Amino acid sequence: MLNAFLSSTIAMATPVLLAALGELLVEETGIINIGIEGAMLSGAFFALAAAYFTGSILLGLAAGIAAGVAINAILGVLVVNLSVNQVVAGTALDILAIGITGVFYRRFFGITGKAFMVSPMPRIDFGPLTRIPVLGALVFHHNILVYLAFAMVPVVGFILWRTRYGLMLRAAGERPEAADALGLGVYRLRWHALVASGVLSGLAGAYLTLAYANTFVENISGGRGYVALAVVILGRWKPWEIAAASILFGAAMALQFGLQALGTQVPYQLFLALPYALALMVLAGIGGQAASPSGLGEPYTRL
Amino acid sequence: MLWSLLKSVVAITIAALIIAAVLIALGASPIGVLFALCEGAFGNWYALTDTVVKATPLIFTGLAVSVAFSGALWNIGADGQLIAGAIAAGAIGPYLGAWPRPIAIAAMLIAGAIGGAIWGGICGWLRARRDTNEVISTIMMNFVAAQVLSWTVHGPLMEPSRAYPQSRLIAPSAHMYMFLEPSRLNLGIVIALLLAAGCYLLLFQTRLGFQIRAMGRNRRAATFFGIPIARLTIGLLALSGALAGAGGAVQVSAITHRLYERFSPGWGFEAIAVALVARLNPIGIVISALFFGALDNGSQAMQRAQGVSPVLVQVIQALVIMILLAFDTPAVARLRASFGVGAPISAAPQTGASADA
């Protein structure tokens, strides 16, 4: 029971963590990416479709990444090059992804009734390590994407706060006018972050279909992209805290499944609402924008 | 003004052309899809009346989004506010049996408006007093509302037989007045039209409306003219929520007569497309909501006749939003100026404007 809970916590935390790290990158350059839910959903569908038709998990992952990047590229044209309202554009992309994946899904699979499934991504074999109590289920029980997600935490942190390039990215988010005046190329930096975030949210989506559900149902991302937004706030724009917040979310989800399975009287909805409620409280508590980049959400037009 | 209206028509046309290309790529006939959509939306008396019925909640949420956006408050939470209103109405509905019908219906609407106002008002308070971005808070509150709804229909409000996760039926006295049965036309559309007129008067004929639009144009400058930004922010998001919440109450009172999970198919998000096509004008909202209501209604017939998923409608919504956003940008304005078209005169804040300006 405990092992299942721990293992499921990490499995649920992974897609959120991947997406949240991508969201952190774009937010540091000054873009609030509401379209992350759409990038994740597109990644989920196209990863599975590619894996299903080619029989290759690797090509599936590539297609998921491509779909995530494609969605973020549309966002990039709108919010970077045309400086439109980021919130409305992002919401439009979420709606677009639900529509496109739904239309394709029903066109190719909905009517035929064929099982739209692939075999799950294999777990990495750690041999006897898996049988260590607690630690085995928590750490040595997962597929490669899980380790990749957690390995990305220090990588993203290092790039953002220990490199010159990271300083440039953050300058684009804090003071875009100043960054452009220094010749840093705010548009280019924001595009870099959007592409990186597209890769990560595409992978997050691919994880949902290739490693977790092994099939696709409409709107499979089910708000996990919005959870990633909440997780970035909960983690106060710091990679390790974001990882902790993702695990907290994973635990809430796992606990909810456990409670439903046990048939207890505790309302499981409480745990599902928890990440959102916590994010609201954190936002109210830190008095708004204290930890967020000061240019966040402001459209910036180069003169 | 003319260009402003034209923009919406052009945006819808471009979206339709893109959709046609996608349909051809999918091996479906665009002409066939168009006919099926029209057949399903206007083909017979029942289809026609149901288009009006499907447009009704979109008018409520469209107005909610449009008043908030007019003040540059980016309310993405109309869905949650509508659900909060529906929960409030669905909770008191079963207990109104002894009340006269007009009063019971009014009680439902007021409960819905209060539920929505609380849901929106919380985000307004967070923005005004805690400097919390309303975009994030309204999105989070959508999910909290969905979970509260799920909990209530599994728990305190669940029907006594406990067969399905749905609430008890509301009392017959709380049922909305229906017209021309067996059609589903009801008083809700009249209420929606009155509210649209009310919102128009509020925004364009009152001092308060002027203050809202001034805040929408430039939040910081508005403070220098003595406009109480904090109070206005809380009040405006509460008003926005109340409009959406009343829409939820109308839906419970007229159509569903009870609550269940996934009560809203996304009316609060579709509302953004509705509001942008209407250029945030409350009168325009009615026309725009009828257009999107017709799409929703026709999409079922389209699926039956052409085997194309009704979610195609969401692709259209998204494309229309994105094209209209692009139309409002300086780059496109310059392009238009090069063809000798005059500067746009719009009472609405530029949707390209900053969230915090």
Side-chain angles (χ1 to χ4, degrees), chain B residues 293-316:
Chain B
L295 274 182
D296 285 347
N297 199 20
S299 64
Q300 301 295 332
M302 175 187 76
Q303 181 178 32
R304 281 193 300 275
Q306 299 286 327
V308 176
S309 164
V311 288
L312 181 72
V313 169
Q314 286 176 300
V315 182
I316 301 177

Side-chain angles (χ1 to χ4, degrees), chain B residues 38-50:
Chain B
C38 291
E39 176 76 30
F42 314 111
N44 56 56
W45 174 244
Y46 183 77
L48 193 65
T49 55
D50 230 39

